[in-house]
Amino acid sequence: MLDNTQIERIEPTPVNSAKVRQPMYAARKKIFPKRASGSFRQFKWLVMAVTLGIYYLTPWLRWDRGPFAPDQAVLLDVANRRFYFFFIEIWPQEFYYVAGLLVMAGVGLFLITSTVGRAWCGYTCPQTVWVDLFLVLERAIEGDRNARIKLDASPWTARKLALRVSKHAIWLVIGALTGGAWIFYFADAPTLLGQLFTGTAAPVAYITVAVLTATTYTFGGLMREQVCTYMCPWPRIQAAMLDENSLTVTYNDWRGEPRTRHAKKVQAAGQPVGDCVDCNACVAVCPMGIDIRDGQQLECITCALCIDACDGVMDKLGKERGLISYATLSDYNANMMLATAGGASPVNPSLVRTDDGLFSEKVAHFHIRKIFRPRTYVYMAMWSLIGLGLLYSLLTRDRLEINVLHDRNPQFVKLSDGSIRNGYTVKLLNMIPEPRTIIVTIGGLPGAEMSIVGVDLPADRSFAIQVEPDRLKMLKVFVRLPADQIHGQAQTFTLRVEDKASFESNEYTATFNAPEIAR
């Protein structure tokens, strides 16, 4: 167990200290985050590995859809206007599924923020993940915080040039891999990879790789925290999502203040002493360069690395962890009232402890049930209902569709025998990657017969049409009705399509037009 004075004191300057707030457009101050270790840091490693693994490896997953469809598990086939996601195939007219997923993502973000604060920003946001990756490589090449500060301040030498060139070259490679992985979602990945290296890929592929390489390198390597502070709108929106029962990373000054490195001297003088030893470890590890002890700030992404840093110091001092912790505003306020005797005095940590040094039973602690409140249930209900609606629609959707367009000019033709003929453009949509034999049948309109252009069969009320897999087939159909069967200027009938093999069917209600004199 160490004494307060034996804890290393780091001297970082917060980028936006509560004592001296910087103007919004102040010049950037370089941040050199110190490597953190602890449970939250381990969790961030896990999230980084999972998210980057999903992003880079997904285009290479295969999914057998038969000989008539691509075998890439996730594919945005822009040329054929298809979206393949494992066993799901989305057509352009079914884009509402994508819209529904986006709405679910938005509601899910509201749910997560209202319960555990900016967890998205701190763990899974692409900006956070790639900045973490860039920082890992920067530390591996240039060293930890002190070594990087020293290198940055030193004059240019061959060693410094070699380190900087190596770092930026690797960053550019990561940027190129990021852009390369992105375009693999839009074409067969192995084929496109070969085309990229042989120079036969489409120009848009090279342009996309170049743009994403530049943006990844710039945002992840050069701008870093500035993207979150100046470019991202979410820090400014999140306040509407939070309430007194939302979990946020909090400095518990009700037990940390007054902070000092000379606890024994201060206690000997009869003054209260908090647990914070003012070592600034929490500031040194912050990738945003802020001091969490200044309270909630727009810049804080709640990555919780300050919790790991502070817990490490508390372990060395033999004190309870949690000086910086995830806490709710309601618990924080209750503990502040306890530590200030109801607001009548400055913070006195002794008021929250018993005579044996343990926390009082009156100290409020977080419990999982606190985040389950009406707002949480509303968001969960909205998210679940949207998801169930999409799932139901997906499981019950038709994979065989028909659409009929009546000829505009002429509306009808009177034949030599007095019968009336109408023309239609019929679209048969086979939405599975297998060939089908579709039976097209007239329903209603007694006495009517149809003929199909290109089908060398006599007029009839039913035809068997071959439709290619995953394709739209257009037919020119003529429907003839004898004069003695015409009972009005406009009569309705149905065109029914059916696949006998799968028992799928669909129908369209069309109109048969006739002249007034035929009535």
Side-chain angles (χ1 to χ4, degrees):
M1 187 185 305
L2 301 180
D3 183 74
N4 289 19
T5 57
Q6 294 176 295
I7 298 296
E8 177 190 6
R9 190 173 196 275
I10 310 171
E11 298 292 345
T13 302
V15 296
N16 214 7
S17 172
K19 298 177 181 178
V20 183
R21 299 297 290 179
Q22 299 294 323
M24 177 63 74
Y25 300 104
R28 179 178 183 250
K29 296 179 181 178
K30 284 189 177 181
I31 298 173
F32 302 91
K34 182 180 175 64
R35 190 183 189 281
S37 60
S39 56
F40 289 103
R41 178 66 267 182
Q42 294 298 322
F43 180 66
K44 282 176 67 67
W45 289 134
L46 176 61
V47 172
M48 181 195 297
V50 171
T51 52
L52 290 178
I54 291 174
Y55 177 74
Y56 286 115
L57 297 179
T58 297
W60 301 94
L61 299 178
R62 302 292 102 181
W63 188 269
D64 185 11
R65 300 185 181 89
F68 302 103
D71 64 351
Q72 187 162 309
V74 179
L75 177 64
L76 295 166
D77 190 353
V78 178
N80 295 306
R81 294 182 294 178
R82 303 285 189 278
F83 173 36
Y84 298 96
F85 185 81
F86 293 93
F87 63 91
I88 300 172
E89 179 184 354
I90 303 298
W91 284 60
Q93 66 270 26
E94 297 177 314
F95 190 79
Y96 55 83
Y97 287 113
V98 179
L101 289 176
L102 292 176
V103 173
M104 284 187 69
V107 175
L109 186 58
F110 296 161
L111 172 62
I112 293 297
T113 304
S114 67
T115 53
V116 291
R118 291 176 65 183
W120 161 261
C121 300
Y123 301 100
T124 55
C125 174
Q127 175 67 13
T128 299
V129 172
W130 262 272
V131 167
D132 256 2
L133 178 60
F134 278 37
L135 280 173
V136 169
L137 295 168
E138 185 176 73
R139 291 192 190 102
I141 294 171
E142 297 182 352
D144 205 356
R145 182 176 185 275
N146 291 338
R148 299 203 308 278
I149 293 175
K150 183 177 179 181
L151 180 68
D152 191 68
S154 67
W156 283 97
T157 62
R159 176 180 177 274
K160 180 175 180 177
L161 181 62
L163 292 176
R164 288 293 167 85
V165 170
S166 300
K167 178 181 73 173
H168 288 277
I170 295 176
W171 283 357
L172 285 171
V173 170
I174 293 175
L177 292 174
T178 301
W182 177 254
I183 64 173
F184 291 151
Y185 284 89
F186 295 85
D188 182 66
T191 303
L192 182 54
L193 180 63
Q195 293 174 344
L196 284 173
F197 283 101
T198 58
T200 57
V204 67
Y206 295 104
I207 294 172
T208 302
V209 172
V211 170
L212 290 180
T213 298
T215 52
T216 304
Y217 169 78
T218 303
F219 292 164
L222 304 181
M223 295 184 67
R224 295 185 181 177
E225 77 287 344
Q226 290 182 299
V227 174
C228 305
T229 303
Y230 298 108
M231 298 175 63
C232 181
W234 189 238
R236 293 155 181 83
I237 299 174
Q238 65 159 344
M241 300 293 106
L242 300 176
D243 60 24
E244 65 275 6
N245 292 310
S246 302
L247 273 178
T248 57
V249 175
T250 305
Y251 168 63
N252 296 308
D253 46 4
W254 50 267
R255 63 166 278 196
E257 299 294 324
R259 66 186 79 156
T260 179
R261 290 179 58 81
H262 306 285
K264 292 181 179 179
K265 293 182 180 179
V266 176
Q267 286 176 331
Q271 298 177 3
V273 176
D275 288 344
C276 180
V277 297
D278 204 20
C279 63
N280 292 325
C282 55
V283 183
V285 300
C286 180
M288 300 298 293
I290 64 170
D291 189 342
I292 191 63
R293 295 170 297 180
D294 290 337
Q296 288 296 311
Q297 300 161 66
L298 176 147
E299 296 87 354
C300 180
I301 60 173
T302 66
C303 63
L305 294 182
C306 53
I307 297 179
D308 282 340
C310 188
D311 284 349
V313 174
M314 292 298 104
D315 289 343
K316 293 177 182 179
L317 294 172
K319 297 180 179 180
E320 302 94 335
R321 291 186 167 197
L323 177 57
I324 301 176
S325 65
Y326 271 103
T328 64
L329 180 61
S330 60
D331 288 343
Y332 172 84
N333 287 337
N335 292 333
M336 279 296 289
M337 292 297 289
L338 183 63
T340 59
S345 66
V347 174
N348 185 351
S350 64
L351 297 178
V352 300
R353 295 184 183 273
T354 60
D355 294 337
D356 55 5
L358 300 177
F359 284 120
S360 167
E361 293 181 355
K362 297 179 180 180
V363 172
H365 297 284
F366 171 74
H367 192 278
I368 189 66
R369 67 174 179 271
K370 294 182 179 179
I371 66 174
F372 291 99
R373 55 198 190 280
R375 174 183 290 196
T376 306
Y377 290 122
V378 169
Y379 286 142
M380 289 179 65
M382 291 174 58
W383 190 86
S384 300
L385 288 174
I386 296 171
L388 290 173
L390 290 177
L391 182 61
Y392 175 80
S393 176
L394 188 67
L395 294 176
T396 59
R397 63 180 178 164
D398 293 324
R399 299 286 80 197
L400 175 63
E401 292 187 3
I402 180 174
N403 189 31
V404 180
L405 181 64
H406 196 293
D407 287 352
R408 288 179 174 270
N409 189 21
Q411 290 282 319
F412 55 84
V413 174
K414 186 174 182 180
L415 303 180
S416 59
D417 62 355
S419 62
I420 302 298
R421 187 183 73 184
N422 281 203
Y424 304 87
T425 299
V426 177
K427 298 179 181 180
L428 303 180
L429 190 57
N430 176 17
M431 302 175 70
I432 64 172
E434 297 176 7
R436 280 179 164 184
T437 300
I438 306 300
I439 309 300
V440 182
T441 306
I442 291 180
L445 211 62
E449 294 180 329
M450 67 176 170
S451 58
I452 301 177
V453 176
V455 177
D456 295 328
L457 292 174
D460 202 343
R461 291 182 65 85
S462 182
F463 285 91
I465 305 297
Q466 300 296 323
V467 182
E468 295 179 350
D470 222 11
R471 287 291 181 270
L472 170 71
K473 189 176 185 68
M474 297 183 63
L475 303 174
K476 186 62 180 179
V477 177
F478 292 106
V479 177
R480 185 183 67 84
L481 188 63
D484 59 353
Q485 295 294 330
I486 297 175
H487 304 296
Q489 187 176 1
Q491 297 174 250
T492 60
F493 68 100
T494 61
L495 278 173
R496 178 181 175 82
V497 292
E498 184 178 7
D499 178 10
K500 298 292 186 180
S502 65
F503 303 102
E504 285 186 274
S505 63
N506 207 329
E507 63 180 32
Y508 187 96
T509 301
T511 302
F512 187 90
N513 294 330
E516 291 187 38
I517 59 173
R519 290 187 293 173

